[in-house]
Each structure stands twice: as C-alpha cells, then as structure tokens.
Amino acid sequence: MLEKKPHQSYGCSVSGSCVDDVITAVQLDKPELLHHYSFAIHQHGEEGRTMSSFSPRLAMFLLTVFANISTAPSQSCPAYRTLSDPWRNVGFCSSIYDKNDSKLIEGWYTFSGVSGDQVVPSCVPAQNITNASVTNYNLFTCNSSINSTNVVSCSNGLTAYYLRPIKGIYSTRHSSCNSSSCGPNAYCGTVYGSCVCNPGFIYSANGCIIITVSADFKNATSAYNFLDNLEKLLNNTGPLEQKTVELYLDSIMNVSSIIENSTDNIFLISFGNKVLSVTEKLLVSLVTPTETQNSTSITLSNLESQVYTVGNKTSLSEIPLLNTSNSSLDIDLIGISKKNNGSAAVIFVSYSNMDNILKPSFFKPNSSTNKIMMSSVVSATLPNITSMSFTKPIHFTFKHTQDLVKAANLSCVYWNESVWVEDGCSITENKTYSVCTCTHLSTFALIMQVNPNQIPSGGYDELIEIINIVGVSVGMLFLFLTVLTLAVCQRGQKVTNVALLNLSISLFSAHLVFLLKEQFLENIKFTVLCEVLAGVIHFFFLSAFVWMFIEAVLLYFFVKNLSQMGSKDSELLTWKCLIVIGYVIPLVFMGLFSGLIPNPYTDDVCWINTAFVWAFLGPVIAIIAINFLLSCAIIVILRRALLKLDSSVSKLKHTRSLVLKTLLQFVILGCPWVLGLFTRENKTIDIAFICLNSQQGTIIFIVHCALNQEIRQQYRKWWADIRHCSKYKSMAEDQSRASNMHLN
C-alpha cells in the first residue's frame, strides 16, 4: 500500500519498496518497475504535484541522466573534503530529526564509511506500509541541484560532489553494500545501498543499539518509560535473535529492581502488568515455525524461560516437562496442535523477583490473614493459537520457597489485572512442593495465608515482627514508669524535667499507636484509618525529637549559668511555652507535609511513602547534628568551670552527673536512628535498629531514674511504705482473727 505524503524539509522523502524500485530500476535498467507506484515529485521553490504513474518517456529520461552520471569519464578529483557521518545513510537518517546541512560550506565533497560513498540523486516523497510497519527515508536533496556538472568520477575510484548548503540532509548510500558496510548490529537493506538496524535495535549517534535506561535517570518513571518504548518497538518488528531477546530480558530484570521498594501499589500493579506484557512479546519473537519440534531456553539471574514449538510432522506423542529451577509445566501441546492446523507453541516463564512487584498482599480473600509468597511467579502462554480448548488439564509444579506453617491455608492463585485471584485451579501439596491443576493459562503463584498468631519457622520477617512487638512493649512499660516517676517525684522542680517528661510521653504515645497499628494492620490496610495512624505516629516521633532538642538547649543554658533553670532569675522559658514549642511545631510540620504532598503515607504498611521518607529522616538527622554540636559546647563549658572551681562542690558534681546522663541519652536515643538509613542493606543492622529504638523507654528509665540517687531513695521509701502498710494490714488481720476466736 502506498500513501502519498507532502514534502517536508525535515521529514522523509521516499520510503520502503518505493525507493527500492525507483533506485534499483535506474541502476538495473528496469524502467517498467517505475509504473507500479505513484509518487509526488517536488522541485525547489515549487508546489508538489501528484502523478498516478511514470510515463516511459520520463523513465527513459531518468535512465539517460543516470547513465550520463555513472559513465562520466574518470579524472583527477578537485580539492575536496570527506564526510563520513553514519546518519547520512538512506536507511539510518530516517531516525535523525536534529540534523541538517544548512551550515555546510559550499565546495567539493566525497563520502566514505558506514554512510556510503554516493549521494542519493532522487527526491520522491512516498510512504510504504507493510504489515502495519511504516518505513521512512530522508532523501533531503530536493532543494539542491546535483547534475552531471556537480559530479566528478575521480581516477582513484571516488566520486566527488559539489554541494551547497540546504535545509535538509544530503542522503547517501553504498555503491557496493556487504555484511561489514553498515557496522555492528546492522545489515544492508532492500533499498539499494541502504543500511538497516537489526530487529530490536534502534539507530543513535553511536550506531545501532538496544533501548536502555540512562544511568543518570534510574527511577520509577524512567523504568516504566523504558518498558513502554520497548513495547512500541516490539509492536513494529518481527522475529528477534535470541541474543537480542536475552539483552532486553536482562534489562527488564535490572529496571525492575529499581522499583522493588516502591510503596505506590497502583504504580506497582501497572509496572508489573507491563513487565508481563513486554516479556511475553519478547519471547513470542523467538517462536519460529517448524515441521517437527524445537526448544529454546533462556536462563538469567532473576528469570528463566522455555519456548517449545511442535509442527505437523513431529514424532512426539507428548512434549517433555518444561522445567525451571523452582517450577515446571506439564501441558498437552500435541493435543492443542491437532486443533490448530498441526502446529502450536508454548512459552513458560519463571520470575524469582516478581513477588516484590505483584505482592502477595494483592491477594484479598475474605479473611484477615498475613499473606506470604510461597513460590516463584510463573507465566504460561500459547501464542498464535486460535482454539484455546484444552484436551487435558494443565499442571504447574511449584517448589516451596519458604517453610509451610501448620494449619495455614495454601492457595494457587492467578494474576487478574490488579489482584491475585483463586479460581479455576485445584491444589495438591506436600511438605516441599505443590501441584496446581488448572483449566486456563495466565500468571500463577502459590500464596500462603497465615493467621497473625501463626509464625512460620525460619521466617525473617516474622522474627523481626516478634522482636519489634516484644521490644516496644518492654520499652513502653519503662516509659510509663519514667512518666509516673517524673510526674510524682520531681514535679515542678526543674523546667528541664518538663522536657524529659514530655519526651517520654511522646515516645510512649508513638509506641502505643505503633502497637495498635501492627495488631490490626491486615484489617486497616488500604483504608483512610491506615493513613491516619501513619500520620499520628509521624507526629509523635517528630515531637519526641523536638523535645530532645529542647532538652539539649535547656541543658546548654543550665551548664552555662551553672544554676537551676527553675529559679526566677535564670529561667528562660516557662513550661507553657515549652509545651507550645514541643507539640505545635511538629504538628505544623506534619500538616504542611500532608497538605502539600499528594499521598504522603502508604496504605500498605501504614507509614510514610518511601519516596518522601526524608520528610521524617531530614528533621531527625538535623536535630541529631545540632544536639551533637550543643553536646560539644556543653562539655567545653563544663570542663572550664571545673578547672576554675572546686570540683567537690555539690552543685558542680550534680551538674556534671546531669550532663553525663543527658549526653548518654542523646547518643543512645539519637544515633540508632542513623542505622535506619542502612536497614535494607544488612539484616544484622535491621535487627540492631529495631532493638535499640524499641528500648528507648528502657534507656530513659535507667539513665534518669535507676541512676538517680534521689529517685532511688524515693523508690526505697515507697517500698518501705508498701511493706509497712502490708505489715500493718497483716497485724490488723491477726488481731481481728484473735478477737473473733476469743468471742467464740
């Protein structure tokens, strides 16, 4: 099919077999081929006019002109420059839209290299459409006058052209094209002297390359755009070499790792669907017709696949199992081929990292259970099959990737656009593997549903959960004791105690909401309540750090003045002002964060979206850094004071003890949060981070209560009162019993 196009200065002039027939007809003296197509012929400064066919007279004229050019006698070349830009080739320059020869210096030129050695003398805009594929060629010589007087055949075998600046490009071709003429990953095209990239490759300034993700833009958006561009390329290309398919599959697995930690479930679903679609199209390009049978296998770090094809002359009664490391497929491909003209192909793919994208939490049966992926994710496809009725059931065998939990529910599920669905498959399981028997093809996996009180042995995530819950519970107990002690024993004595008291209250509140969230996580996922709890936890943790900062500032002035902050002469801020600072500032910050950033909290784990986690870590690290500087200043000031005064003075001894305890608190409470930046890189660091941060309440209690002499004395007094009260009660009960016995 030929479609006429208007002439464009930076568009394409001739395309597909049209160019092939025009140029080849002139070269091979076949003017009759010029009658097969219609062209729009343009000249410089004129409107184009359409002709339904070339007349024999015009064809002979073109032949005469070309014959005169090609048979011109050889002579010495004039002084010339050489152009070797690859993009000038008639096949390559269709991909170049930012090149032109408007700044070309007028003079004599020769051409060499990948671009070719001859200027294309035609300028006939047309478009060839074959099997939904459109091929365009940039023959930008319309507004130049290349005739016999502008061309010299040199004695050294070169052809020199007198060129002038033009708005377009002087397109070139090879006078003799062979396997090495077009450079790597390219071949000689059907258009005489043209170069074409191998299927699956695109032309760039560096030659024919595969589509890649720039190293400077490795983010979720660029990863998705890579898949989208690759899919468009595959929609307009035919069979690919296995090496090319492997390069693209490896790139897909690499870009998939970029978004594995994303908490945007909508994006993950869209990205996962795109991975499945593009992977299938890549593997379909490996399916080649056969009369007997053939098999192709690909093994990469996170992907394994097999493509098996049978023809109408196969001697097999059944095909062998299609195997990967952790799964296999048993399908009656022979029976399917008999219903499809004697031939059929099946594609089997196993993904080892897809559970990070198509998460098990996307399986939503009517139960509040934890979901655990128990297998690799596999896909099975029958390309180019007209009849999808199966003569026998299809069997998928999955090796378990984790230990089974007793009384847990194991499901064979398939991916249905946005959710895992349990339908159309039955399951037979044992301790190490399970067999899914299905009546349809799709993307499948095993998912285990575990009740919250059922913990799989050896499960790392479950171990972390236990440590987290137990640790936070213990820390909350000591925080409660600290709050009670400070409120009863030392209320109103020092403003510094107000900061410590509210620091403990904020941490206690954050841990309490955290425990509530973890207890009901499965029930509140993907709800507004989930995001509300995330915001509350965010607020209380920010408030705790603000109070830690206030405590450092107060301690700095306390040491500088060497007097208690509670005195009227040196008190800088009242406790009411401190309350406003400690709670209003984090509330305003969190309000701005929630209002200005769309979807700041993920509804999957009820915490800050990974993309905006610096909204929490930023203030935390800033406060830790400022506290460190204040700590250094406090130590310097205290050391100078101790050198000037008698270190045995009780106030100095008390101050030194207070400073050391508070600095110890800063280090133990602040520094473990830095470990949060590296928790995903090392499991040991992950456990250390959870243990240290869950025990913040324990640390505060030890530093400010257990190591405080006054409070220890108060504890002894309370204990003595309790014992005295108990003893008095016991004596009263004995007297009562004795009196009753006497009366009886």
Side-chain angles (χ1 to χ4, degrees), residues 39 44 55 133 185 332 366 416 439 458 517 587 601 608 618 716:
F39 301 96
H44 179 54
S55 66
S133 177
N185 303 319
D332 182 24
N366 296 323
N416 185 17
T439 58
K517 181 202 76 171
L587 184 63
Y601 301 105
I608 300 174
R716 294 191 189 99

Side-chain angles (χ1 to χ4, degrees), residues 352-373:
S352 62
N353 65 340
M354 189 61 76
D355 60 320
N356 295 319
I357 301 172
L358 304 182
K359 298 180 179 179
S361 59
F362 296 155
F363 180 42
K364 303 175 183 177
N366 296 323
S367 60
S368 57
T369 56
N370 295 328
K371 282 79 175 181
I372 301 171
M373 191 71 76

Side-chain angles (χ1 to χ4, degrees), residues 219-440:
N219 51 43
T221 301
S222 62
Y224 188 88
N225 290 339
F226 161 75
L227 293 178
D228 196 47
N229 292 332
L230 177 55
E231 186 171 38
K232 292 176 182 177
L233 176 67
L234 296 174
N235 290 337
N236 292 285
T237 191
L240 302 179
E241 293 182 358
Q242 182 173 341
K243 181 177 69 173
T244 305
V245 172
E246 290 179 355
L247 287 173
Y248 276 123
L249 290 176
D250 191 50
S251 296
I252 291 173
M253 294 300 100
N254 288 335
V255 299
S256 296
S257 64
I258 298 174
I259 56 95
E260 285 180 356
N261 297 326
S262 174
T263 55
D264 186 341
N265 292 323
I266 296 176
F267 175 79
L268 286 173
I269 290 171
S270 178
F271 187 88
N273 287 332
K274 185 70 74 171
V275 169
L276 296 176
S277 173
V278 175
T279 300
E280 178 183 332
K281 290 180 179 180
L282 282 168
L283 294 172
V284 166
S285 70
L286 294 178
V287 176
T288 54
T290 179
E291 292 185 346
T292 55
Q293 65 275 333
N294 60 46
S295 176
T296 302
S297 299
I298 293 176
T299 301
L300 302 173
S301 58
N302 290 313
L303 179 146
E304 297 175 79
S305 68
Q306 273 192 281
V307 180
Y308 204 98
T309 308
V310 296
N312 52 14
K313 293 184 179 180
T314 181
S315 59
L316 299 175
S317 58
E318 61 180 25
I319 69 168
L321 286 176
L322 304 183
N323 291 300
T324 64
S325 299
N326 296 312
S327 57
S328 65
L329 170 65
D330 181 9
I331 185 171
D332 182 24
L333 192 62
I334 303 299
I336 296 172
S337 68
K338 292 178 180 178
K339 294 185 177 183
N340 291 274
N341 302 319
S343 63
V346 61
I347 297 172
F348 183 54
V349 192
S350 175
Y351 306 87
S352 62
N353 65 340
M354 189 61 76
D355 60 320
N356 295 319
I357 301 172
L358 304 182
K359 298 180 179 179
S361 59
F362 296 155
F363 180 42
K364 303 175 183 177
N366 296 323
S367 60
S368 57
T369 56
N370 295 328
K371 282 79 175 181
I372 301 171
M373 191 71 76
M374 290 292 294
S375 69
S376 301
V377 175
V378 303
S379 290
T381 310
L382 293 170
N384 305 321
I385 295 297
T386 56
S387 174
M388 293 295 289
S389 60
F390 302 115
T391 55
K392 298 179 182 178
I394 304 159
H395 303 286
F396 295 91
T397 302
F398 294 98
K399 181 180 178 181
H400 298 162
T401 55
Q402 297 195 45
D403 294 334
L404 279 174
V405 176
K406 292 182 179 180
N409 183 22
L410 191 63
S411 301
C412 182
V413 298
Y414 75 92
W415 183 249
N416 185 17
E417 295 185 358
S418 61
V419 292
W420 290 109
V421 178
E422 186 180 17
D423 185 25
C425 294
S426 60
I427 185 170
T428 304
E429 62 184 76
N430 63 23
K431 187 175 181 180
T432 58
Y433 66 89
S434 296
V435 178
C436 293
T437 303
C438 305
T439 58
H440 63 94

